[in-house]
Amino acid sequence: MSKPTVNKVSIWLESDGHTFSSSTEAKSGDVREIVVNTFKTALVPEQYLDTNDSSRHLRDIGLSVAMDEKAVCSAPTGGIVAVMAIGSDTLATLREQYPRATFTSPLLLGEPMEQGTLLELRAKTLYVRIYDNGLRFAEAINIESEGDILFTLESLHRTYDIYNMNARAKGDTEALLRLTKGCFRALEIDTSSEA
């Protein structure tokens, strides 16, 4: 009996290492996508992407790219490109081990909503996307405490009225459920199998 072929394997690049999207360790030829988990992320309309200085897009929104970091870009998704900062040494290792892999951000993954809020908490980064007949807000936010999550959501509610929408949670759903209990009209847990 032959082993099933893996069509697409993703690596979730975390600050303390990486995890694979499948239960078995992937060979370098299997890895197609590296998901970068960092708050140093900017979404840029594809037509405005400056490929000569992609780190400029991070600086434009007040995020500095450290001397030991490089900016990488995702493939366009719906006309949007994610620009993310990762460690230079990590990037060199990844390029060597997975030369054909592309980079992406959790802000570009999953199905969009007609109206509602997508929340994803991974380590110290909260990914928030707000939809209302199209994408209205998307950001990766550095989280140092649970108070940062509450402050962020309250601020977004004042601007976008998110508590009167449905929401979908992913990642550390236990923390998100505990912190947002009763806030949203309905909060659904996304059980899709991404890392």
Side-chain angles (χ1 to χ4, degrees):
M1 188 179 261
S2 66
K3 285 186 173 181
T5 357
V6 178
N7 294 329
K8 178 182 173 186
V9 176
S10 297
I11 295 177
W12 277 78
L13 182 64
E14 306 284 344
S15 58
D16 59 347
H18 61 269
T19 57
F20 290 97
S21 65
S22 67
S23 58
T24 60
E25 182 121 344
K27 297 180 190 108
S28 62
D30 294 337
V31 175
R32 299 283 181 253
E33 183 175 74
I34 298 169
V35 184
V36 182
N37 181 20
T38 179
F39 71 92
K40 291 185 176 183
T41 303
L43 295 186
V44 180
E46 182 180 5
Q47 68 268 27
Y48 296 115
L49 181 66
D50 181 354
T51 55
N52 296 321
D53 183 17
S54 54
S55 63
R56 182 201 91 178
H57 299 292
L58 293 165
R59 290 189 307 271
D60 286 349
I61 61 169
L63 297 172
S64 63
V65 178
M67 295 295 284
D68 63 344
E69 291 179 324
K70 297 275 187 204
V72 295
C73 297
S74 71
T77 301
I80 298 173
V81 174
V83 179
M84 303 148 290
I86 67 172
S88 301
D89 292 342
T90 302
L91 178 59
T93 301
L94 290 170
R95 293 268 191 229
E96 183 180 311
Q97 289 182 345
Y98 313 108
R100 295 182 309 175
T102 59
F103 294 93
T104 193
S105 167
L107 287 175
L108 298 177
L109 298 177
E111 290 298 314
M113 302 172 80
E114 182 66 30
Q115 181 186 47
T117 303
L118 295 176
L119 302 170
E120 185 165 354
L121 181 59
R122 298 225 178 239
K124 289 188 168 192
T125 306
L126 176 66
Y127 297 93
V128 181
R129 286 179 280 174
I130 300 170
Y131 293 91
D132 192 1
N133 296 317
L135 183 64
R136 297 290 175 238
F137 177 89
E139 191 167 341
I141 301 152
N142 187 37
I143 299 299
E144 294 297 327
S145 71
E146 291 183 344
D148 292 337
I149 297 171
L150 294 171
F151 176 80
T152 297
L153 294 178
E154 192 59 36
S155 298
L156 291 171
H157 173 64
R158 283 194 302 270
T159 304
Y160 296 100
D161 197 29
I162 63 172
Y163 293 155
N164 291 315
M165 297 179 179
N166 292 334
R168 193 177 321 146
K170 203 171 181 180
D172 185 355
T173 55
E174 187 177 302
L176 290 171
L177 281 171
R178 184 179 70 254
L179 292 168
T180 63
K181 188 172 185 171
C183 290
F184 291 97
R185 185 171 31 182
L187 181 62
E188 166 192 331
I189 301 303
D190 187 335
T191 57
S192 64
S193 61
E194 294 166 7

